[in-house]
Amino acid sequence: MTDPAAVDSSGLAVRLAANTLVLAAGNFLGSLIAFFTFVAVTRGLGPETYGHLTAATAYLFIPTVLAEAGLSAAILREISGRPERTEPAMRASLPLRTAVGLAFVALATVLAVFLPFDHETKVAIAISSIGAFLTLLSLSLLPVLQSQLKMQWAVAGNLAGRVVALVLTLAVLAADYGLEGAVTAQVIGIAVTFLVHFAIVARLVSLRPLMDVPYWRSLAATSVVLGLAIALGQIYFRIDALLLAVLRDATEVGLYGAAFKFLELAEFFVAAFGLSLFPPLTRFVATRDERAPALVQKAFDLVIATAAAIAVALFVFAEDIILVTAGPEFRDSAVALQILAPYVLFSFANGIFWRVLMASERDRKLLGVSSSVLVFNVALNLALIPEYGYKAAAATSVISEAAITVPMVFAVRRERLLPGLRYLPVVATAAAVMGLVGWFVGAPALIAGVLAGAAYLAVLLALPGTARSFVFGDLLPALRRS
């Protein structure tokens, strides 16, 4: 007789995979559009001006994540556990989030005038501040789509905004409007994304504002610790570019930003998987469902397998990637990209650990970890950047991400949700084959990359483990049944 729990678990895995594949496909298209935008901007602006844009983006990232303050995560956790709270929670939270976002972005924009940035960077900050505020408004709408596993609509909004931004970027660069034009194009793209998200979410739940001060106090109390943890963890992800802007010249910021852009693009996958994983994991943890460990294990295995392929590709093909995208002016970025390649492995693993602790409501633990790594990262950057520049920033990013893995592992272990490492030998074997094919195939970079990727996938599907069992044991049978 078939075990109902096993059938349900398999069905959940397929639903999660379907949602994740939709997100991954959408994010891949979004990344592809962002990639072409990146190519156009780097080639159109050059290292120095691109450095001003990178510094402005890194600076405004700080008030954006501080204003977010964990509110989306707190609301998502609330409505994932209690779906009937979706509409009242959204109606009550929107006025608060609008006011907080406006205050943080306005304050940061004024403060930038008095900071030691170049004039071009200050201009980019002033224009981009509008986009930062609209980004916060979009983030305030996403918990509805996340909790209902309808993130295809979020993807649609992102794609629409990115297409508009790309078209406008090409137009303003062709008209020689420079940095100001490129930044304005990005802001208009963000505005399109917000309008699409608003239209979709408004069809699912009422967004009529509700002034509920007691709920605001409750939401602030439950989100402040988590919000600081998320904010500090994300700030350290961008603080090195900001420190480079202060301690070195804009050209180095541009070189580092060109290399780091590929880590940002890689993060789209783990973000997509995390968005699908979090709602059911939250329910499993809240109800002490026995499926939670298996869900975490499968998620960990799949993201590590993905991260390994990305890390090998970034290391082996670093120079080709930079030359084909940013152009010869950014050739020196290739070294930074090779240094940054291992970052993906730690970052993807920590993405899973982070969501396990969020689902388990270990907010104070997350705050302790993120604050510690931020202090460590800033201290290391301040010590090394003045002498070694952007290469030191790259190395510091990898060291910091590796350092944060240790306390995360211990924290997840206490929740009895620490995944095992039994799949790592398979992933390591596939990565070694991929690396050898990439190094020695003796073909143009594009052909070598495709062959190396195909070899990696073939090894994963040939050897026993999560990828093989999922494809042949869960996904294909589900497709046959449908």
Side-chain angles (χ1 to χ4, degrees), residues 22 26 68 84 192 198 202 214 248 301 355 371 374 403 408 482:
V22 169
E68 167 65 8
E84 71 277 4
V192 170
F198 183 86
R248 304 284 285 201
D301 290 347
R355 285 165 177 81
S371 58
L374 177 61
M408 296 282 276
S482 63

Side-chain angles (χ1 to χ4, degrees), residues 309 312-314 316-318 320-321 430-457:
V312 171
L314 293 180
V316 174
F317 301 106
D320 297 294
I321 289 171
V433 172
M434 179 180 177
L436 291 172
V437 172
W439 276 116
F440 299 112
V441 74
L446 180 59
I447 297 175
V450 171
L451 292 176
Y456 183 80
L457 184 60

Side-chain angles (χ1 to χ4, degrees), residues 181-242:
V183 175
T184 302
Q186 290 182 9
V187 171
I188 294 174
I190 294 171
V192 170
T193 294
F194 164 68
L195 291 174
V196 173
H197 287 170
F198 183 86
I200 292 169
V201 174
R203 294 174 65 88
L204 298 175
V205 298
S206 171
L207 297 178
R208 183 162 51 90
L210 177 64
M211 309 301 287
D212 189 344
V213 177
Y215 178 74
W216 294 351
R217 294 197 190 98
S218 173
L219 183 60
T222 57
S223 69
V224 63
V225 175
L226 178 60
L228 282 174
I230 293 173
L232 294 179
Q234 292 182 329
I235 287 172
Y236 116 82
F237 184 67
R238 294 292 186 91
I239 196 69
D240 43 7
L242 199 56

